[in-house]
Amino acid sequence: MIVQAVKWVGGVDGYLELVDQRRLPAEFVKLKCRDTEVLFDAIKTLAVRGAPAIGVSAAYGLVLALQKSGVNDRLEKAIESLAEAREYLASSRPTAVNLFWALDRMRRKAEELVAAQPDMTLQALHEALLGEANAIHEEDVDMCRRIGRHGERFITEGAGILTHCNAGALATAGQGTALSPMFEAHEKGKKFSVYADETRPLLQGARLTAWELKQAGIDVAVICDNMAGWLMKQGKINAVITGADRIAANGDAANKIGTYSLSILAREHGVPFYIAAPSSTFDLSIKSGAEIPIEQRAAEEVTTFAGTQTTPAGVNVHNPAFDVTEARDIAAIITENGVIENPDTENIAGCLGPRGT
Ligand code: MRU
């Protein structure tokens, strides 16, 4: 059974329930978010993570924000508080574009509704926004499934597939992006092996991808990040499939730190490198990956391991959370609309349309 990482419980006065990914695989614990502050912290500290899951959660975050408005508040005041909540949640993490995409879609919806019906009640606005967040959620579930169906053909019988970080059900509202073709191939009865990079420093591969695939009964082996090249040299890897946090108009794709190195290793060994991502992960407002903001995270993530200091005190640290893989090293991008082979500005626009949807 596929885990449901993000769930809204109740009506407009309900709450957001997340699987707390900081605690997996040792404990399976749900985290209740009843206000934007708890959600902000959940995004920042990776209780909820993965570009699509962050986007869906943030959409519900604006429903939480409206709960603070009193029934007698004027609509303009509610719109102001939505704008504030949008800015606040948008400042939680900078790289995954799904966060901004979902927040902006919710804000546009609110503005359109109020412009069309200036005398609507706050309750009606609140219900409409919950409806929009639910639509974003449902579309994500559908996008994941379609990515799986389009990408399943890249998993051939007996193949070894390498993946990095976690782009599974935990990272989306549905069955994942990079892992979705694996779930589909498994459902069809194909036999294949997955190598999950452990993904230093926060171990999303070792903790989360291995947990999800093992639960699904898919053959998975965890490897340290520095082992991938040697496995490729030995012919054990037939394809690399990862997710993405933001894809520029030319196909350059930001994903978890370490993905870029994998793409170079894959090119050197003649292994096809695929990105699986929904249209909400494309940012057609930027021409190339050079414009993607890269999140820098706390030094402690590198200097400690499971709470134990592993470096000399006070040593300098670099901790970029993402890197950018160049489009020329991506054999294809698997989207819900189909597969974009040899991605470039022209064929991406051809598949997604000028606005990216
Ligand atoms: O820092 P994280 O764990 O949020 O990074 C996640 C990734 O890099 C994923 O590969 C990406 O968001 C795609 S998830 C479907």
Side-chain angles (χ1 to χ4, degrees):
M1 213 187 71
I2 305 269
V3 64
Q4 191 178 355
V6 179
K7 186 177 167 192
W8 181 262
V9 181
V12 284
D13 51 1
Y15 59 90
L16 181 64
E17 190 177 79
L18 304 169
V19 172
D20 190 340
Q21 302 187 36
R22 298 166 298 194
R23 317 256 303 252
L24 281 169
E27 290 174 293
F28 184 85
V29 178
K30 302 270 180 75
L31 176 71
K32 288 185 174 62
C33 299
R34 294 185 188 275
D35 56 46
T36 50
E37 286 75 18
V38 175
L39 176 59
F40 179 95
D41 186 63
I43 297 173
K44 182 112 197 142
T45 61
L46 275 57
V48 61
R49 45 146 300 282
I54 293 172
V56 173
S57 303
Y60 284 120
L62 293 192
V63 180
L64 290 174
L66 262 197
Q67 290 174 349
K68 295 278 180 283
S69 302
V71 270
N72 295 321
D73 277 0
R74 285 181 303 121
L75 270 184
E76 300 91 88
K77 191 155 174 257
I79 293 287
E80 259 171 45
S81 65
L82 276 180
E84 270 169 36
R86 188 250 169 234
E87 292 310 306
Y88 174 58
L89 290 172
S91 68
S92 57
R93 294 191 77 187
T95 304
V97 77
N98 304 58
L99 171 64
F100 311 100
W101 172 86
L103 288 169
D104 289 341
R105 178 166 155 181
M106 292 289 285
R107 188 181 52 181
R108 263 199 318 275
K109 180 77 186 177
E111 286 168 358
E112 280 164 16
L113 282 166
V114 173
Q117 309 164 56
D119 53 355
M120 80 189 298
T121 62
L122 202 51
Q123 175 75 12
L125 175 65
H126 207 173
E127 272 162 17
L129 288 187
L130 176 57
E132 189 69 2
N134 284 335
I136 290 173
H137 188 158
E138 281 157 27
E139 285 167 29
D140 195 68
V141 173
D142 182 56
M143 287 191 296
C144 289
R145 196 81 211 250
R146 283 159 61 188
I147 285 171
R149 289 186 182 140
H150 288 303
E152 173 269 324
R153 69 178 154 102
F154 297 117
I155 300 178
T156 50
E157 187 65 31
I161 311 291
L162 178 66
T163 190
H164 190 69
C165 194
N166 171 265
L170 287 165
T172 64
Q175 64 178 29
T177 57
L179 298 197
S180 184
M182 302 179 199
F183 291 128
E184 292 290 325
H186 182 64
E187 211 173 287
K188 282 196 163 177
K190 282 190 195 170
K191 298 269 174 291
F192 57 95
S193 303
V194 181
Y195 295 92
D197 265 355
E198 66 175 352
T199 317
R200 276 283 288 151
L202 295 179
L203 304 181
Q204 289 93 329
R207 296 188 299 110
L208 309 175
T209 297
W211 181 80
E212 273 193 44
L213 294 179
K214 207 162 175 293
Q215 282 217 332
I218 295 174
D219 178 43
V220 57
V222 175
I223 60 168
C224 300
D225 298 345
N226 50 7
M227 296 171 186
W230 185 238
L231 262 67
M232 287 185 195
K233 173 87 179 160
Q234 291 174 308
K236 292 199 159 91
I237 312 285
N238 303 98
V240 180
I241 310 180
T242 76
D245 286 82
R246 190 185 297 227
I247 305 175
N250 72 343
D252 290 351
N255 192 50
K256 179 52 56 193
I257 190 77
T259 307
Y260 166 71
S261 318
L262 282 184
S263 72
I264 304 298
L265 285 171
R267 187 214 302 162
E268 176 66 21
H269 293 91
V271 173
F273 182 97
Y274 302 107
I275 294 273
S279 50
S280 52
T281 299
F282 286 78
D283 181 355
L284 300 190
S285 74
I286 56 172
K287 285 201 179 88
S288 81
E291 293 173 65
I292 299 178
I294 300 294
E295 179 181 15
Q296 305 291 324
R297 292 189 61 88
E300 292 70 43
E301 292 181 354
V302 176
T303 58
T304 58
F305 190 88
T308 302
Q309 174 96 21
T310 55
T311 58
V315 74
N316 289 333
V317 167
H318 289 286
N319 188 14
F322 300 95
D323 56 28
V324 178
T325 294
E326 289 180 52
R328 64 175 183 153
D329 291 321
I330 302 172
I333 303 178
I334 307 159
T335 77
E336 77 275 20
N337 296 339
V339 173
I340 307 171
E341 311 256 4
N342 304 313
D344 62 17
T345 308
E346 207 178 308
N347 51 28
I348 287 175
C351 180
L352 300 182
R355 290 192 306 122
T357 48

